[in-house]
Amino acid sequence: MNLLHRFLLPLAACVAFAGAPAVHADTKIDKEKIANLLDQVRDKLQELKGKEKDKDKDKEGKPPAPAPGGGGTAAAAPKVLALYDAPVGTPFDKLGFAYTIMLRNLLGHFDATVDLMPVQQYTAGKVNSYDATFYMGSSYDFQLPAAFLSDASTTTRTMVWFKYNLWQLAGNPAYNFTATRGIQFVGLRGMNALPTAAAPSPGFFDTVKYKNLDFVKYYNFDSGRNIINADPDIGVTAVADATKASVVVSVANAKTAETAPYITRSGNFWYVADLPFSFIGPRDRYLVFTDVLHDMLGIQHAESHKALVRLEDVGAMVSVQAMKTLSDYLGARKVPFSIAAIPRYVDGLGVYNGGVRQEVNLSQATNLKKSLDYARQRGGEIVMHGFTHQYGTMRNPHTGVSGDDYEFWNIVDNAPFPEDSASWAAGRLYNGLQDLRANGYTPIAWEAPHYHTSAITARTAPTLFTTTYQRVVYFTADKPNFFAPVAKDFGVGQFYPYVIRQDYYGQYVLPENLGNIEYDISTIDSTSNYNYTADDILANARFALAVRDGFASYFFHPFWLEPSLGVPGFEDFKKTVDGITQLGFTWVAPSTLR
C-alpha cells in the first residue's frame, strides 16, 4: 500500500536543506525522438520570449481578452513596472526579487506585461511608460534613487508601494508628500515585546480585516533557537487629509486592541503596510491583496466563484473500487472532476516488491486503465501527474516509489538534479504523454509531482502542455545556491485564488488553493502524521470567497477510502463537495478554463 507524505506548500518556502548525493534516474528514452523534441522545445521557448517582448504590439487593435476565471469583460491588459530592492553584500540580496516574482505572477491574472527591475536601475520618467508601477520595499532603509522618489511623488500613473522606505518620500520636504497625498507616515511597528519561552506570543498587528473576515498572519516562535518565524513589521500611516486619502483595509493588533491602516489610498497612490507575499496561507492577508489588486489596476472582474476537485496520485496500484465509488458520487451530482494520473509506475528499490525492482507500463496497468475509463464516462478529465512521480533508485526522500517521491527536484539536497536541462525535462514529459496517448488518453493539463520542479522544468512544461494545474515553486536562479553567505538564492512557494494566464515561467496556471484532507495514521505510516480536516477545507473556501473571482479548488487521495486505514475518507469527501456547493461555488471542468 502506498501511504504517502503529501506535499503541502510551505507557508514560506525560503528554506534550504543539505543531504546525500543524488542517484541518477535510469528511465530509458528514445534519443532520436528527444533530439527532435528538443529542437521543438528550443523553438517554442524562443517563440514565447518573442511573444513576451512584442506583447504590446500584438495587442494593438485587438479587443480586450475575456476576464480569466470569471465573467464580465476585462480591461485592456496593463503594462506594469515592478521595482524591487536589490542590496549588495547581504545574505538577503535576492529576497526582494523573490517576492517580486510572486507579484509578477499575480499580475498574470490580468494578462499584464511586466518588467522586473532593481529599483537602483530606475531612470527618470520611466513610470510614464507604464500603466502602473509597483515598488517592493523589502530591504529596510535601502537608499532609493532620487529620480524614483521624485517621479513617485508626482506621477499621475498608478503607484503601489510596499512596506519599507516610505519615509524617504514622506520625510523629505522636497517631495511635499503629506500635503499632496494626504497620507502621513507615522513609523514602523513590530512585535509588542520580545517573545520568551514563558511568553511566546506577545502579539503584533496580525489581523487584517476585510469583508467581515479576519485574515490572521502566520506566527511561530522557536524558543529553543530564539527565532521568530513571522513577518510582524508594518509601516504605520495615518490619513492626514480625508479629502485626499482613505483607508481601504485595516489591520488590528489583537493583544493591544489597536488598529492601523493596512492598505491606504490617495488617488493613484497606494500604500500596503507589509509584504503580503511572506508566510502566505489560505486564510492569510495575501488573499486580501489578490482581491484589491483588481482595484489597483482598475480591472473589475465580475463576481464569480468556481470550484475544482481533483483525484490525486492515481497510478497503477490504485484501488478500482475506490475510484468507482468516487466517480459514481461525483457523476451522480454532475460535478466535473479531474484525475491526476501517473503514467508509469516504478518501484526502483523494490520497497513494495520484496526487494526486486518493479516497473509497470500504462499498457499493463489494468487497474489504472479501468479507473480512468470509468471516471471519464462520469465526467472525469485526465491531468498528467509527472511521468513516474519518483526518481530512479533514489529515496527522494521516502521510498523511490511512484507517488511517494519527487521526480523533477532533488528534495534531499534541495537542488536540481545534475542532468537538469530542457532536454531532460522534455524527455520525461514526452514519455508520459506518449504513454497516455498510446493508450487512448489525452491529458488536459500537467501537474508536477509534489508541486515541485526545477526552474528549467517549469519553463519547459508550457512547450508540451497548454495548461499547468497546481501550486508552483519559483526560484531566483535556474541553479539556485541556497547556502551562499552573500546573495543566496530563494525558492518561494505560491498558490493562486484564480487563474493565472501567464506566470514567471510562461505557464497558464489553474489554481489549487484549499489543500487536501489528511489523517494522522502515523501508527501505520510514520510520514502521515497530521490532520487536515474537511472543516479546514471548507474554512479555506469561505475565505476564498473574499476574492471577487476566487476559486475553491482542492484535491483528494482515493486511498483514503481503503477500509484498513480506519478513517472516514468518503464521508469527509462528500462533506467537502456538499459544503463547497452550499457556499455558492459552481463546479467546473478544468478544460473549460482555457
Side-chain angles (χ1 to χ4, degrees), residues 36 150 229 311 450 496 513 553:
N36 293 332
S150 178
N229 296 301
L311 305 181
H450 297 304
Y496 302 112
N513 60 322
S553 178

Side-chain angles (χ1 to χ4, degrees), residues 27-333:
T27 302
K28 295 179 181 178
I29 59 177
D30 186 320
K31 292 183 179 179
E32 183 177 350
K33 286 182 179 178
I34 295 307
N36 293 332
L37 181 61
L38 181 56
D39 288 337
Q40 297 174 29
V41 169
R42 285 173 178 150
D43 291 343
K44 186 66 174 177
L45 288 172
Q46 286 300 117
E47 178 187 339
L48 290 171
K49 289 179 181 177
K51 286 182 178 179
E52 185 70 17
K53 290 179 180 178
D54 298 334
K55 208 167 185 181
D56 288 338
K57 293 181 181 178
D58 291 343
K59 287 182 166 74
E60 288 178 4
K62 292 185 180 181
T73 302
K79 185 178 181 182
V80 175
L81 176 62
L83 301 169
Y84 57 91
D85 294 336
V88 177
T90 78
F92 302 100
D93 289 359
K94 296 183 180 181
L95 184 58
F97 178 40
Y99 289 143
T100 306
I101 290 172
M102 298 174 77
L103 169 64
R104 183 259 173 269
N105 293 329
L106 292 179
L107 292 167
H109 178 55
F110 306 91
D111 208 23
T113 298
V114 187
D115 291 333
L116 279 62
M117 178 187 295
V119 69
Q120 58 263 45
Q121 295 179 11
Y122 182 86
T123 55
K126 202 166 187 67
V127 293
N128 298 321
S129 299
Y130 296 87
D131 299 303
T133 296
F134 292 74
Y135 163 61
M136 191 71 62
S138 62
S139 182
Y140 173 78
D141 216 23
F142 185 74
Q143 293 306 297
L144 302 176
F148 171 63
L149 291 170
S150 178
D151 285 352
S153 69
T154 59
T155 183
T156 57
R157 304 293 179 93
T158 294
M159 171 68 65
V160 181
W161 192 300
F162 295 94
K163 195 175 182 177
Y164 287 140
N165 306 324
L166 185 63
W167 53 88
Q168 295 181 35
L169 185 63
N172 191 329
Y175 303 123
N176 206 26
F177 176 79
T178 299
T180 302
R181 300 293 189 184
I183 299 172
Q184 177 187 359
F185 180 76
V186 177
L188 294 175
R189 287 285 298 272
M191 299 298 297
N192 295 334
L194 291 177
T196 65
S201 302
F204 60 101
F205 283 90
D206 64 348
T207 305
V208 174
K209 305 279 189 176
Y210 190 64
K211 295 187 178 179
N212 298 315
L213 291 169
D214 288 349
F215 293 80
V216 180
K217 295 174 66 170
Y218 178 80
Y219 174 81
N220 173 265
F221 176 59
D222 184 340
S223 59
R225 295 189 298 161
N226 197 33
I227 292 175
I228 297 172
N229 296 301
D231 185 6
D233 287 1
I234 65 166
V236 179
T237 58
V239 173
D241 185 343
T243 66
K244 296 179 179 179
S246 60
V247 176
V248 179
V249 182
S250 295
V251 59
N253 189 317
K255 297 288 187 178
T256 66
E258 296 171 278
T259 60
Y262 180 68
I263 299 177
T264 308
R265 180 182 186 181
S266 174
N268 64 303
F269 186 92
W270 300 74
Y271 178 68
V272 183
D274 74 352
L275 300 173
F277 306 101
S278 64
F279 297 92
I280 66 173
R283 301 171 215 168
D284 178 62
R285 86 291 195 203
Y286 168 74
L287 290 183
V288 176
F289 177 75
T290 66
D291 188 55
V292 176
L293 188 55
H294 294 81
D295 304 317
M296 292 172 170
L297 296 172
I299 298 177
Q300 301 302 329
H301 292 159
E303 190 84 17
S304 173
H305 297 291
K306 297 177 181 179
L308 293 167
V309 61
R310 188 177 67 226
L311 305 181
E312 196 77 349
D313 288 330
V314 178
M317 303 302 167
V318 70
S319 162
V320 176
Q321 185 55 55
M323 284 295 293
K324 284 185 174 181
T325 299
L326 294 167
S327 298
D328 283 340
Y329 171 77
L330 293 168
R333 284 154 181 77

